């Protein structure tokens, strides 16, 4: 079995794979103060609850945008699985041609999502990840990762509005059904949800045009959304073609398959890196 860790700023998603089949997945809070033993005990309990044998784990792969958690999970992998974890980063084979100015600045989650999208969808692609930050990335049908945008996530915007104003309340993130709002709570909800929808629609439209300009063709562009608020935004717009909540875990499994034979050696010149 493969254990895949997708570490975000807010949550860690853990997936357990047998081959390409996802057996179980769990979501836990990203906690900077938890030790490897605390995470290990929690995983032991989750494995036992779902009838999985933790001793059958063959390998571990980690994607993280939180560097301070990486050592903890690497130590966990060594202690509880007796495996040196594969870490998504420079030197990892992805199958992508990364056009970023400095690939080392590129978040691992964006690369992992792109790998999964290329594996599962055809044509030019736009991948939107509604996480702590919202990222929107462009990939050509030749597996060229062109780049994208990063904007504050909806929850960050909501928290900032509450923390930086004297009288505005904290609200549930939901669509009120109208934009002419007659109370403050609905006004904030409308601004957060419909404002983000407008932002997504504009960026997707402009990104499609830039993809066409870069590739010199007018092939269709498929838009895939993932992340906790993907469904909320998708329900209010037609610019998103697919919702794939498991996109990042799928990408981790695909990257593992590309790298498991190379795990014991250093990458050679010519290996696809990001």
């Amino acid at each position: 079995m493969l254990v895949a860790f997708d570490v975000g700023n807010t949550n860690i998603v853990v997936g357990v794979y047998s081959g390409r089949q996802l057996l179980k997945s769990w979501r836990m809070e990203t906690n900077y103060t938890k030790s490897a033993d605390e995470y290990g005990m929690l995983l032991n309990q989750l494995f036992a609850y779902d009838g999985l044998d933790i001793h059958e784990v063959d390998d571990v792969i980690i994607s993280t945008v939180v560097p301070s958690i990486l050592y903890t999970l690497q130590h966990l992998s060594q202690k509880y699985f007796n495996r040196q974890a594969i870490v998504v980063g420079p030197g990892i084979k992805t199958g992508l041609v990364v056009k970023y100015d400095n690939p080392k600045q590129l978040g691992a989650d964006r690369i992992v999502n792109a790998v999964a999208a290329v594996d599962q969808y055809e044509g030019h692609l736009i991948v939107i990840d509604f996480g702590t930050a919202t990222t929107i990335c462009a990939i050509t049908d030749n597996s060229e990762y062109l780049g994208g945008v990063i904007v504050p996530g909806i929850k960050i915007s909501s928290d900032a509005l509450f923390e930086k104003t004297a009288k505005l309340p904290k609200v549930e993130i939901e669509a009120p059904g109208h934009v002419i709002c007659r109370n403050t709570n609905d006004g904030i909800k409308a601004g957060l949800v419909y404002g983000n929808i407008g932002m997504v629609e504009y960026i997707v439209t402009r990104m499609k045009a830039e993809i066409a300009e870069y590739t010199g063709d007018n092939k269709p562009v498929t838009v895939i959304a993932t992340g906790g608020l993907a469904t909320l935004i998708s329900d209010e717009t037609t610019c998103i073609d697919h919702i794939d909540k498991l996109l990042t875990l799928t990408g981790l499994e695909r990257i593992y398959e590309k790298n498991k034979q190379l795990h014991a050696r250093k990458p050679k010149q010519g290996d696809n890196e990001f």
Side-chain angles (χ1 to χ4, degrees):
M1 292 191 297
L2 169 71
V3 176
F5 289 93
D6 167 30
V7 183
N9 289 289
T10 304
N11 292 300
I12 299 174
V13 180
V14 184
V16 181
Y17 280 88
S18 176
R20 294 206 67 172
Q21 181 185 2
L22 179 64
L23 301 178
K24 289 291 179 181
S25 65
W26 309 289
R27 183 180 296 267
M28 61 187 73
E29 180 186 13
T30 302
N31 188 325
Y32 300 81
T33 64
K34 261 186 182 171
S35 68
D37 287 328
E38 288 175 300
Y39 278 119
M41 287 298 99
L42 178 55
L43 283 177
N44 258 314
Q45 294 170 2
L46 291 170
F47 268 75
Y49 179 80
D50 284 311
L52 299 176
D53 186 352
I54 202 167
H55 299 100
E56 292 183 3
V57 172
D58 299 312
D59 224 332
V60 177
I61 187 167
I62 302 169
S63 167
T64 180
V65 297
V66 187
S68 60
I69 300 283
L70 179 57
Y71 172 78
T72 300
L73 294 183
Q74 287 177 309
H75 182 52
L76 178 152
S77 178
Q78 290 277 14
K79 183 171 182 178
Y80 287 87
F81 303 119
N82 196 29
R83 293 291 183 272
Q84 180 183 349
I86 298 173
V87 179
V88 179
I92 286 289
K93 289 177 69 68
T94 63
L96 301 175
V97 179
V98 178
K99 296 295 186 177
Y100 224 58
D101 291 340
N102 183 356
K104 291 183 179 179
Q105 294 180 344
L106 186 57
D109 55 335
R110 297 170 73 183
I111 282 293
V112 172
N113 285 339
V115 169
V118 167
D119 182 70
Q120 296 188 106
Y121 302 95
E122 296 182 351
H124 304 316
L125 305 170
I126 293 174
V127 178
I128 309 171
D129 190 345
F130 294 98
T132 306
T134 297
T135 59
I136 308 177
C137 304
I139 308 104
T140 72
D141 63 350
N142 290 323
S143 299
E144 294 176 287
Y145 180 93
L146 301 182
V149 302
I150 306 169
V151 298
I154 299 177
K155 189 175 185 305
I156 285 180
S157 299
S158 176
D159 290 345
L161 198 61
F162 172 68
E163 292 168 5
K164 299 298 183 182
T165 59
K167 296 180 67 176
L168 294 180
K170 195 160 190 170
V171 301
E172 294 293 325
I173 299 174
E174 58 187 11
H178 44 267
V179 293
I180 300 178
C181 301
R182 292 178 172 83
N183 62 74
T184 301
N185 281 22
D186 280 358
I188 296 171
K189 292 176 184 179
L192 290 170
V193 175
Y194 301 130
N196 272 271
I197 290 167
M199 176 270 296
V200 167
E201 290 179 339
Y202 175 82
I203 291 175
V204 165
T205 298
R206 181 157 180 170
M207 199 170 276
K208 286 181 176 180
E210 291 184 16
I211 291 172
E213 182 181 0
Y214 176 84
T215 60
D217 62 52
N218 288 305
K219 294 178 182 178
V221 179
T222 301
V223 181
I224 306 107
T226 191
L229 294 173
T231 301
L232 173 65
I233 300 300
S234 181
D235 285 346
E236 299 287 341
T237 182
T238 60
C239 77
I240 295 172
D241 300 307
H242 303 281
I243 297 175
D244 191 338
K245 293 293 187 70
L246 298 176
L247 192 69
T248 311
L249 287 181
T250 301
L252 282 171
E253 189 277 326
R254 289 290 81 209
I255 290 174
Y256 169 73
E257 288 296 325
K258 295 175 185 292
N259 289 272
K260 62 182 180 181
Q261 301 301 328
L262 305 172
H263 190 34
R265 68 162 177 87
K266 294 178 66 176
K268 295 179 181 177
Q269 187 174 6
D271 282 352
N272 225 335
E273 300 183 358
F274 88 87

